[in-house]
Amino acid sequence: VTYHPLSLLRYAKRVQRDPVQRIAERFDRYGDLYRAPFLGRDVYVLRHPAHIQDVLVTQAQRFEKPSAGLMARQLRRLLGEGLLNSNGELWRRQRRLIQPAFRKESLRAYAPLIVEHTCRVLEGLHDGQQIDVAQTMMRLTLRIVSKALFELELDGEVERFGQAMAAFRAAFSRLGAALPDWLPSPAQRRALRALADVDAVVYSVIDSPRMRSGHHLLSALLGGVESGGMVGAGQRKQLRDELVTLFIAGHETTANALTFTWHLLAQHPEVEAKLHAELDQVLAGRVPDVNDLPRLVYAEQVLSEAMRLYPPAYVLPRVCVEEAWVGGYRIPKDADVIVRIYHTHHDARWFAEPERFDPERFSHDNRRRIPPCAYLPFGAGSRLCIGKNFAMLEALLILACTAQQFSLRAVPGARLGLDMALTLAPKDGLAMRLERRPSRADFTLRSQLAT
Ligand code: HEM
């Protein structure tokens, strides 16, 4: 694909209006892998599972996290050299330091905390109330990740951090944010202001006494940067980058996955009824705990299918650091590569009737038939999401606690829009109405009356 400068602007606007459709048209026209130079960079876009396997797994050493290009530049501004963005020795060292916080036994310990925070939110909700479910999920997951990973009760700070992130996201999705740094636009100025707010919260955490109070992850990170020989500003900056990465990667995606799940459940009462039946049978009115999870089989299928239709990390960007051959095509050194997970997940070759919401695709038997790298909401290969098990544990517990007590109903006129900026998110939130489900006591009473 090549562009005339004017048609590039026109195309950029069309993509911004309907990214899913525009990219799908490209794939239909050019095939599974196409080259589309963009603002002076060579960009290869792909969606075929075999090609994805090459880039993320088999030839992963030839593809690194990028630092140039539109999305990468913005991501670096926000996350710096944190775990999501770093490469080489720095990445390996930091991954080793952070990994223990995500071990199985650490995760089991987070479960009661997740349930407690969820119940606290639910206690403040009532039948008939209308909420912005996207915002509610976002606040909840930010609180949980702050407490679980860093033992922080970020109450006022959660609000500030959440608002700064929302402002950054809003500015980021404007075309103006794509302009080079030397050509400032109002959107860029807003993004920079939001970034300063994010930094203010994170540096206040870094400078607080709790940073050195013996907490395992914080002290591991601190020890790690010290042994890496960084001091002063460099050390603070690396810590800032890891904290911002874990705060952001650790809450946005999970919150979005849950919001999409609530939306889909409201549209599919038969799925919701089956989910409720499982929850009522497995939990019998109890608050869930970690031992219930293996039996919440259908709930997990629901989440997996929601993340197929709406993968929160909808693209994976890479840069080719050594010439590679993928699916018979040459990818030159320094070219950008974009893995379009969203389009892989919506491809009828791997998922029949791909637009249909059908959790049965993830039943034990059906799941095994999905080709490798055709379903990858958490990525693949060595850069697989470090928080995958944490996210599934958290999402399952939030789903179970909430669906046990409430049905979330669509609000007439409220539409789900898609914002495809840093992550795939509901555009302008999502209003839903709460309907309290009859409690177990009501069920028992009703069945006694019926007999
Ligand atoms: C539903 C929730 C989540 C989804 C869909 C998701 C998705 C992903 C994906 C696709 C990647 C790979 C990116 C790439 O290859 O370019 C990734 C990486 C990462 N995720 Fe997640 N994630 C989720 C939850 C979490 C949570 C809860 C945490 C932390 C608490 C987390 C922290 C990270 C980090 C630090 C990386 C970078 C890992 C590395 O490169 O070594 N994520 N995530």
Side-chain angles (χ1 to χ4, degrees):
V1 188
T2 47
Y3 308 97
H4 180 273
L6 270 182
S7 65
L8 175 61
L9 193 63
R10 227 175 298 129
Y11 181 69
K13 283 204 153 154
R14 286 177 64 211
V15 169
Q16 205 195 17
R17 236 173 278 137
D18 189 355
V20 168
Q21 189 50 31
R22 297 286 89 81
I23 304 292
E25 283 166 12
R26 285 280 162 89
F27 279 125
D28 288 348
R29 192 151 165 204
Y30 302 110
D32 284 323
L33 193 158
Y34 65 82
R35 173 176 164 270
F38 188 74
L39 297 176
R41 298 192 59 82
D42 225 0
V43 184
Y44 290 77
V45 188
L46 50 92
R47 66 169 176 186
H48 194 288
H51 301 164
I52 298 177
Q53 175 116 2
D54 268 344
V55 170
L56 298 185
V57 186
T58 333
Q59 304 191 51
Q61 78 284 3
R62 296 196 161 98
F63 297 94
E64 289 194 344
K65 295 294 179 105
S67 52
L70 169 60
M71 188 166 181
R73 238 182 36 227
Q74 296 287 26
L75 258 184
R76 255 171 219 269
R77 264 189 186 164
L78 182 63
L79 306 178
E81 285 287 308
L83 196 61
L84 189 81
N85 276 343
S86 54
N87 285 309
E89 201 35 54
L90 174 63
W91 169 72
R92 248 184 301 281
R93 197 185 67 219
Q94 297 297 93
R95 178 114 188 175
R96 262 199 310 271
L97 284 176
I98 296 173
Q99 194 77 55
F102 294 97
R103 281 206 199 108
K104 215 169 172 184
E105 53 280 21
S106 312
L107 293 184
R108 285 185 73 84
Y110 299 146
L113 175 160
I114 295 169
V115 171
E116 186 196 318
H117 275 75
T118 310
C119 289
R120 237 189 266 167
V121 169
L122 295 176
E123 275 162 22
L125 303 177
H126 59 81
D127 188 35
Q129 188 177 349
Q130 187 171 311
I131 58 167
D132 179 344
V133 67
Q135 199 184 64
T136 308
M137 292 296 116
M138 205 65 101
R139 284 202 184 128
L140 175 58
T141 55
L142 181 56
R143 287 223 166 90
I144 289 172
V145 85
S146 312
K147 182 73 183 166
L149 295 188
F150 304 112
E151 283 174 24
L152 295 174
E153 300 280 1
L154 270 170
D155 271 343
E157 287 148 309
V158 164
E159 293 298 322
R160 256 176 82 200
F161 191 84
Q163 279 162 10
M165 273 311 300
F168 185 83
R169 168 181 270 287
F172 180 83
S173 37
R174 314 283 314 166
L175 261 186
L179 296 173
D181 292 355
W182 47 264
L183 199 64
S185 66
Q188 269 215 28
R189 274 196 295 273
R190 277 199 296 276
L192 289 178
R193 259 200 313 272
L195 216 50
D197 280 349
V198 167
D199 281 4
V201 175
V202 172
Y203 279 122
S204 76
V205 170
I206 290 176
D207 292 333
S208 68
R210 57 199 162 187
M211 197 64 201
R212 287 164 196 274
S213 65
H215 176 272
H216 53 278
L217 180 56
L218 292 180
S219 36
L221 284 171
L222 198 61
V225 281
E226 274 166 355
S227 69
M230 276 176 274
V231 285
Q235 184 181 40
R236 272 165 63 79
K237 173 71 167 71
Q238 187 63 37
L239 266 173
R240 176 249 172 239
D241 291 351
E242 297 300 359
L243 259 69
V244 175
T245 299
L246 288 167
F247 276 139
I248 292 174
H251 88 284
E252 270 220 16
T253 40
T254 315
N256 294 340
L258 280 160
T259 300
F260 291 128
T261 304
W262 295 123
H263 167 73
L264 288 162
L265 285 171
Q267 311 295 316
H268 298 83
E270 71 295 351
V271 174
E272 193 195 40
K274 203 167 164 187
L275 172 70
H276 286 162
E278 179 179 87
L279 294 176
D280 294 343
Q281 194 229 325
V282 172
L283 304 175
R286 276 185 303 107
V287 172
D289 71 36
V290 70
N291 299 314
D292 294 312
L293 297 183
R295 286 185 297 147
L296 295 179
V297 177
Y298 192 68
E300 187 175 345
Q301 288 176 218
V302 168
L303 279 172
S304 300
E305 173 68 344
M307 284 193 289
R308 181 188 69 80
L309 279 170
Y310 298 107
Y314 69 104
V315 287
L316 304 182
R318 293 291 187 272
V319 61
C320 178
V321 292
E322 185 191 330
E323 184 189 83
W325 287 83
V326 172
Y329 296 95
R330 188 180 78 90
I331 304 206
K333 183 171 179 302
D334 295 330
D336 286 327
V337 172
I338 299 183
V339 176
R340 287 266 168 195
I341 291 185
Y342 183 98
H343 291 82
T344 311
H345 285 188
H346 287 251
D347 191 323
R349 288 173 293 178
W350 332 119
F351 300 99
E353 295 183 69
E355 300 313 318
R356 197 159 59 85
F357 176 56
D358 178 13
E360 292 306 328
R361 297 179 205 272
F362 290 91
S363 70
H364 181 68
D365 286 343
N366 290 341
R367 186 185 279 262
R368 283 184 308 176
R369 295 197 197 105
I370 302 173
C373 287
Y375 178 70
L376 62 167
F378 294 101
S382 58
R383 305 301 297 250
L384 182 78
C385 176
I386 199 171
K388 178 180 177 210
N389 294 334
F390 181 97
M392 285 310 288
L393 169 86
E394 181 185 12
L396 259 177
L397 287 171
I398 295 177
L399 179 68
C401 288
T402 313
Q404 202 179 23
Q405 294 191 31
F406 290 104
S407 282
L408 274 70
R409 299 276 170 242
V411 169
R415 265 194 63 250
L416 175 75
L418 291 186
D419 176 17
M420 289 183 140
L422 289 172
T423 51
L424 179 65
K427 200 180 190 130
D428 307 322
L430 183 65
M432 295 190 90
R433 191 175 49 77
L434 297 168
E435 198 175 284
R436 187 172 283 285
R437 292 188 58 219
S439 69
R440 181 128 185 112
D442 297 333
F443 278 130
T444 322
L445 190 65
R446 247 190 293 155
S447 57
Q448 278 169 358
L449 287 175
T451 48

